[in-house]
Amino acid sequence: MIKHSATLAVNEKIAARRAAGQTVVHLGFGEAGLPVLPAVADVLRAAADQNAYGPVLGSASARQAAAGYFDRRDLPTDAGQIIFAPGSKALLYGVLAALPGDLVLPTPSWVTYAAQAALTGKRTIPVPIPADAGGVPDPAQLEAALHTARANGADPKILVLTLPDNPTGTAAGADLVKQVTELAAREDLVILSDEIYRELTHHPEDHVSPAALLPERTVVTSGLSKSMALGGWRIGFARIPDGPLGTTLTDHLIGIASEVWSSLAMPMQAAAEYVLSEPAEVTDRITRSRHLHAAVAHAVHDIFRSAGATCRTPNAAFYLYPDLEPLRPQLESAGITTAEQLSTHLLDQHGVAVLAGSHFGDDPSAYRFRVATSLLYGSTDDQRIQALAADDPAGLPWIAAQLDQLRQGLHQLT
Amino acid sequence: MIKHSATLAVNEKIAARRAAGQTVVHLGFGEAGLPVLPAVADVLRAAADQNAYGPVLGSASARQAAAGYFDRRDLPTDAGQIIFAPGSKALLYGVLAALPGDLVLPTPSWVTYAAQAALTGKRTIPVPIPADAGGVPDPAQLEAALHTARANGADPKILVLTLPDNPTGTAAGADLVKQVTELAAREDLVILSDEIYRELTHHPEDHVSPAALLPERTVVTSGLSKSMALGGWRIGFARIPDGPLGTTLTDHLIGIASEVWSSLAMPMQAAAEYVLSEPAEVTDRITRSRHLHAAVAHAVHDIFRSAGATCRTPNAAFYLYPDLEPLRPQLESAGITTAEQLSTHLLDQHGVAVLAGSHFGDDPSAYRFRVATSLLYGSTDDQRIQALAADDPAGLPWIAAQLDQLRQGLHQLT
């Protein structure tokens, strides 16, 4: 059975605790934590009369806008290569349902890939991430893992990359992406490149998409949930490669989309078209969001490092993936031997909610967990808008207070 | 490969012909053909600031509203039994992916069920519909078909009923529903009752849901695409049975929903909550829609009967399923031997677009096809609103003109 997505489940659990009056530092859920940009809300309102069934892949104008988005990022794209859906999850599912073969996953990785592999009857071949960054498999281990998998009867054909990465909050550098892409080409893998956090890379000019390196065999998925904080609107899109593989895949995706979700709701397509045409209001908002996410993630990173954790330095999105291995003696003497026990302890004893690494496919006995820093910006839209405008958001009193609670909680572990 | 849904494909084809300046009597697509009710558009606009990821199954208030909708129809329902999704298609898919066993389908039936069965790795066991109505298998043939299927290694466990029915535009009567439900109970089948057209039964008080007869083993799916003409908003909901089967199914559905589409977009949940609370504006609109759909479907039925077709008398939704078997000599002498050839001939020679019965699983050599009458109401919202208000909508000049083109096209066949 496919279980309730762990990331969504923890969010619902915390909402219940807060409703019961408890103070929780919510680091458990990857929601962008910001209000709707008013100009985007206006576009949705103006589209409220659009009730006709739309084309399965998206309206011509929305697809054109998405093609423009990729064009401006040095990925020349025809509107015919674009597909919209109610969330990028639906597109990831569709691609996995359409493509043959098993799935190679960097580990840890976002909870949904492995669950979708199970749903579509695929095996999962996990490969650890390197020390530099998450979202890609360690190149030195990838080749060996493929050979072992094939020897065991698996048929690895699809490689998921998360660029930038959830859960580690890191963007693999150009060299690493190049190495992994070349290896994928040699091994005849299709790359499924989840780039939903692309706009939130701290230095966006550093982003390298495998679609630029292996254009005929890379599918890029994205959406507006992260960059525009529109998770509740469910707007996803994908760029299908040009060429024979892309043509066949598109035919499959039309079938799956038309029989599972029909199309993205038309008012949402209007909103997507506006955002992806990238007017100044949108790019300004994304620039401010990027600054806020980076500032708070770095502040939280400092706290974890001060508490004795090791942790990759964040350079994208709004996540950290700390490892409390250096605290093993203290944790074991407190009876904590798994990431799940550690996360339960942090929530019950210190009001700090994180998501155990085991949910991301990591070793359950490692003291690793995902920290999402994007729900610290405030409990009202007014606070969140102040956080967006602040040069030093971590110094705002309501954010500083949560960082203090976190600092104290971690201190008490040691 | 799962092909592009035939109903959506014909719609896109006709849009292209019209864009090229051709006059097409569009009877090919089951869209309700009416504008958004202004009060509903206002609710969507007011919800444009709702961007948080919602609960997977739907917000508490939307689920409560849907429970109330069923309560008012003598199906006592707890909000915990409700799940929302981006369209009822997604829920039908989810239920098929969650439940074990193969699928029993009345034939002809809506194109999506068989495609979803293929997508979820299920066999399809077709059973012809009776002479009285579509949407249910012929009770006399159902039992035999189950035994044959089992003898052939299939494992029939789920029975789809479409109440009222697409493609026939008929609602099975109470006796027929009772007979089929009793048979399903004896044969240990779960009933998946697609009731998306329920509000458009010409005499809604006659509707009988199998959920009232076999409460612990009936899943009801519905949505706002038909009754409220909101196909482009993608709002679906389901009523899961109370009891052990329902509890297990809900756990599965939470998993599938959370990994494929996350949740229905929150602004759409707000719209659903409003509609399902059934304020007077909504019930008035549905009453007017029902009258319009019935009047035009009956007018088109008369035309087919006059042309020599046999056809069930419509009593729900906005469909007819004529059979031109009485015209076989003329059609064969014109070289037309299949439903697909007939529908191509009607479109190319007479500008009449219908969907061949073969798309609904019917015998390809039968001269049967689905006629959707809901896109005749006008080409502007102004015309459609006049049609809604008219006592005799078939007499409005723009509707009468299309009926004339249809009458002449059919006349030329004979």
Side-chain angles (χ1 to χ4, degrees), chain A residues 91-111:
Chain A
L91 292 164
L92 289 162
Y93 160 78
V95 171
L96 294 186
L99 291 179
D102 294 321
L103 191 65
V104 184
L105 274 187
T107 304
S109 54
W110 181 48
V111 298

Side-chain angles (χ1 to χ4, degrees), chain B residues 70 73-77 81 161 163 177-178 181 191-195 198 207-221 238-242:
Chain B
F70 288 110
R73 283 153 184 79
D74 289 329
L75 289 171
T77 304
Q81 291 172 253
L161 302 181
L163 301 166
V177 173
K178 190 156 174 285
T181 301
I191 295 180
L192 183 46
S193 187
D194 180 349
E195 302 187 14
R198 175 175 181 149
H207 182 87
V208 177
S209 174
L213 306 171
L214 189 61
E216 298 217 335
R217 301 183 62 77
T218 299
V219 177
V220 178
T221 61
R239 179 187 185 275
I240 308 300
D242 201 11

Side-chain angles (χ1 to χ4, degrees), chain B residues 28-93:
Chain B
F29 189 55
E31 177 159 76
L34 293 168
V36 181
L37 180 68
V40 177
D42 288 344
V43 173
L44 183 71
R45 291 189 188 104
D49 61 343
Q50 295 189 25
N51 63 330
Y53 288 94
V56 171
L57 299 178
S59 69
S61 53
R63 296 172 81 196
Q64 193 58 58
Y69 165 89
F70 288 110
D71 280 341
R72 287 186 291 278
R73 283 153 184 79
D74 289 329
L75 289 171
T77 304
D78 186 86
Q81 291 172 253
I82 301 295
I83 171 167
F84 280 91
S88 65
K89 265 187 192 175
L91 292 164
L92 290 162
Y93 160 78

Side-chain angles (χ1 to χ4, degrees), chain B residues 273-406:
Chain B
E273 180 181 338
Y274 171 76
V275 169
L276 293 172
S277 67
E278 300 185 277
E281 292 91 331
V282 167
T283 53
D284 289 351
R285 160 59 82 93
I286 292 174
T287 302
R288 291 301 324 165
S289 306
R290 186 187 296 133
H291 172 76
L292 171 60
H293 296 315
V296 176
H298 278 284
V300 176
H301 183 253
D302 289 346
I303 291 170
F304 274 99
R305 293 295 301 278
S306 299
T310 61
C311 187
R312 289 176 185 83
T313 302
N315 64 357
F318 33 68
Y319 302 112
L320 301 168
Y321 198 72
D323 188 342
L324 296 196
E325 185 60 30
L327 307 188
R328 181 164 291 274
Q330 297 95 313
L331 293 172
E332 284 189 346
S333 66
I336 298 168
T337 60
T338 69
E340 195 63 51
Q341 287 170 349
L342 176 56
S343 65
T344 301
H345 178 86
L346 283 169
L347 182 56
D348 291 346
Q349 301 302 315
H350 307 290
V352 172
V354 301
L355 206 54
S358 46
H359 292 294
F360 301 90
D362 207 347
D363 178 356
S365 69
Y367 292 132
R368 290 188 285 268
F369 47 84
R370 189 190 72 174
V371 168
T373 56
S374 49
L375 291 180
L376 299 175
Y377 306 150
S379 53
T380 65
D381 277 354
D382 185 54
Q383 288 183 334
R384 295 178 192 115
I385 288 167
Q386 287 186 58
L388 266 177
D391 287 334
D392 176 25
L396 291 170
W398 57 91
I399 299 180
Q402 295 176 88
L403 298 180
D404 278 344
Q405 186 179 338
L406 172 65

Side-chain angles (χ1 to χ4, degrees), chain B residues 110-126:
Chain B
W110 180 47
V111 297
T112 290
Y113 309 129
Q116 290 188 343
L119 190 59
T120 53
K122 292 184 183 310
R123 295 199 208 180
T124 299
I125 296 125

